[in-house]
Amino acid sequence: MRRAAAGFTLMEVLLAVTLLAAALALAFGVLRAASATVARGELVSARNEHVRAVSEFLRSRIGGALPMVFAVDPRSGRSLRFEGGPQALRFVAELPAYLGRGGPQLHQLALREDAGGHALMVEFRPLQAGEAGPPLRAPEPLARGLRRFELGYRTLDAQGRWTPWQSRWDTPEALPLQVRVRIADAGGEWPELVVALPLASAVAGGAPP
């Protein structure tokens, strides 16, 4: 009876405290891992949403390209309707009212140096008597921290077959039939985007009829 009333021994108390500390450490580790998993999931979700939004913007803007003249090459006298290079392109498309004044405007997309590496910039210029006027606002970034931004162009040859992808569009007086966009950032490669231009001419070389 006296031994039972004496309470716990020191070893029993130390063992209980050790087990409690181990359980708390395990619970804290599980909670921290769960929090990190949730944070990573939120980052992945935010990146995926950003990729989707930028891709849809590019698809709608490039796909809505119009065969309208925005400038004349002073050297060759050629009317410019679509200029495309490896990392930049210019074309005319209807600008939605929520993006600005609306109506046909020159769209300029280009990769530029940025504080975080490279950024895909977009700029809009209203058309004035067949020429692009001054921009209504400064260029805005569509995506930052890019490791890759590559454009490709193709049309149909004289036999009606697809030409190979070109890094430059050599027929600026006409629109290509398709534009390919490849982008990569720190999170990896984005899904490849191939945009069809419904208003482009389907004749050989993309030249206007």
Side-chain angles (χ1 to χ4, degrees):
M1 294 292 293
R2 287 196 303 270
R3 186 174 183 181
F8 297 105
T9 65
L10 179 59
M11 290 300 296
E12 290 172 335
V13 172
L14 290 176
L15 179 60
V17 171
T18 301
L19 292 175
L20 178 61
L24 290 175
L26 179 62
F28 179 75
V30 171
L31 181 61
R32 184 169 59 180
S35 299
T37 300
V38 171
R40 285 195 299 271
E42 290 177 347
L43 288 176
V44 170
S45 178
R47 177 181 180 272
N48 290 340
E49 180 61 25
H50 178 65
V51 169
R52 185 196 65 79
V54 173
S55 298
E56 285 302 315
F57 177 86
L58 293 175
R59 183 181 297 279
S60 65
R61 298 293 85 223
I62 298 174
L66 302 171
M68 296 180 63
V69 177
F70 59 82
V72 175
D73 189 334
R75 295 170 298 179
S76 64
R78 302 166 80 181
S79 298
L80 304 182
R81 292 180 174 87
F82 192 99
E83 281 192 326
Q87 295 180 324
L89 72 162
R90 300 199 301 165
F91 58 91
V92 176
E94 291 280 346
L95 188 68
Y98 72 87
L99 290 176
R101 183 184 298 174
Q105 295 200 21
L106 177 64
H107 292 48
Q108 299 186 154
L109 294 165
L111 192 67
R112 297 282 185 262
E113 291 289 339
D114 189 61
H118 292 85
L120 176 58
M121 309 295 292
V122 60
E123 180 180 273
F124 306 109
R125 293 174 177 261
L127 289 184
Q128 300 174 352
E131 294 186 359
L136 299 178
R137 56 176 182 262
E140 300 178 9
L142 280 179
R144 285 193 163 104
L146 299 184
R147 295 190 294 105
R148 180 186 186 189
F149 177 67
E150 295 178 2
L151 296 166
Y153 316 91
R154 70 176 179 176
T155 186
L156 299 178
D157 61 19
Q159 287 73 43
R161 297 172 300 189
W162 286 110
T163 62
W165 287 106
Q166 310 166 36
S167 60
R168 292 187 180 277
W169 180 243
D170 297 326
T171 316
E173 65 270 21
L175 277 60
L177 288 179
Q178 289 185 338
V179 175
R180 182 181 65 188
V181 184
R182 289 176 171 174
I183 301 177
D185 58 15
E189 297 280 342
W190 294 23
E192 183 175 281
L193 186 64
V194 176
V195 184
L197 283 68
L199 297 181
S201 174
V203 299

